Amino acid sequence: MAILLTGSSRGIGAATFDALTAAGATVIGHGTRSGIAADFADPAAPQALWGAALAQAGGTIDVLVNNAGVFEANPLDRDHDHWVGDWDRTMRINLTASAELCRLAVRHWQAQGRGGRIVNVASRAAYRGDSPAHWHYAAAKAGMVAMTKTIARGYAAQGILAFAICPGFTMTGMADDYLASRGGDRLLADIPLGKVADPAEVAAVARFCALEAPASMTGAVLDVNGASYVR
């Protein structure tokens, strides 16, 4: 079982790497600190990453886990060109790169005449939105959820399954900075469970989707947010 996992260097990605490895999978990581290096701000990076991962895996990848992303503030009062530039950057890293990898994975499995699994790590923001400085982040994550459902509906008959995970605040470096900037106690008051998720909790869901979820679950979106948003 060969799995390509993006954003495996820290936080949810690092925890997912550990969970999948412990389950016996061969995990090909991607990130700035470990694994195959690829900067998703570069339009050429997703295809280059796929090719390198495929070579490392011996020609077959069974599961794709799209976890890489950025969470960068982009206030509305910035210069227009800078605001648009950062919108485009977040879309490319958080959504377009994932879409390219999903396409490459689907085409790979179709060529081999076999099924595979895609797990997209989106966000609670896909459904409830985010702060006024994070329009781009929420929009990208909503796009990821819609893309996952589209893939699930389009290719289930070929054994290609797709799942999305929507964490709320997770105790990663990005979440730490955001909690501090927004007033941690006020944000925690919005989470009925009273705490942000641990990366290992999200990783457990990612492992389940990648390895164990029954086929009839394809298209499912799983929330991991302490009941801070329920659908």
Side-chain angles (χ1 to χ4, degrees), residues 41-62:
D42 177 1
Q47 189 169 24
L49 170 63
W50 180 262
L54 201 60
Q56 187 171 318
T60 298
I61 291 175
D62 301 288

Side-chain angles (χ1 to χ4, degrees), residues 10-181:
R10 65 176 189 172
I12 292 171
T16 300
F17 185 97
D18 292 343
L20 292 170
T21 301
T26 298
V27 185
I28 300 165
H30 147 261
T32 55
R33 303 180 186 179
S34 63
I36 302 171
D39 180 1
F40 285 166
D42 177 1
Q47 189 169 24
L49 170 63
W50 180 262
L54 201 60
Q56 187 171 318
T60 298
I61 291 175
D62 301 288
V63 179
L64 167 66
V65 182
N66 278 313
N67 169 73
V70 294
F71 184 80
E72 299 168 342
N74 194 19
L76 261 65
D77 59 1
R78 297 182 70 203
D79 170 82
H80 181 76
D81 288 345
H82 288 140
W83 189 89
V84 172
D86 276 2
W87 174 281
D88 290 344
R89 168 181 160 80
T90 288
M91 287 295 170
R92 166 142 292 281
I93 294 172
N94 288 13
L95 180 58
T96 305
S98 294
E100 291 185 41
L101 289 169
C102 285
R103 175 184 176 274
L104 290 165
V106 169
R107 296 289 289 162
H108 170 63
W109 296 323
Q110 288 176 329
Q112 292 194 334
R114 58 194 294 273
R117 292 185 178 223
I118 292 170
V119 183
N120 288 324
V121 180
S123 169
R124 176 186 72 172
Y127 288 97
R128 63 169 268 173
D130 211 290
S131 82
H134 293 90
W135 288 17
H136 51 350
Y137 181 81
K141 294 302 185 179
M144 180 175 272
V145 169
M147 177 175 69
T148 303
K149 294 179 179 181
T150 301
I151 292 168
R153 289 176 56 82
Y155 308 103
Q158 299 172 44
I160 297 170
L161 312 179
F163 310 89
I165 303 171
C166 286
F169 288 113
T170 307
M171 197 48 69
T172 68
M174 288 192 299
D176 285 342
D177 294 342
Y178 189 61
L179 281 167
S181 70

Side-chain angles (χ1 to χ4, degrees), residues 179-199:
L179 281 167
S181 70
R182 297 288 299 281
D185 291 342
R186 294 196 306 276
L187 289 179
L188 287 175
D190 189 42
I191 304 174
L193 190 61
K195 73 176 189 71
V196 297
D198 185 272

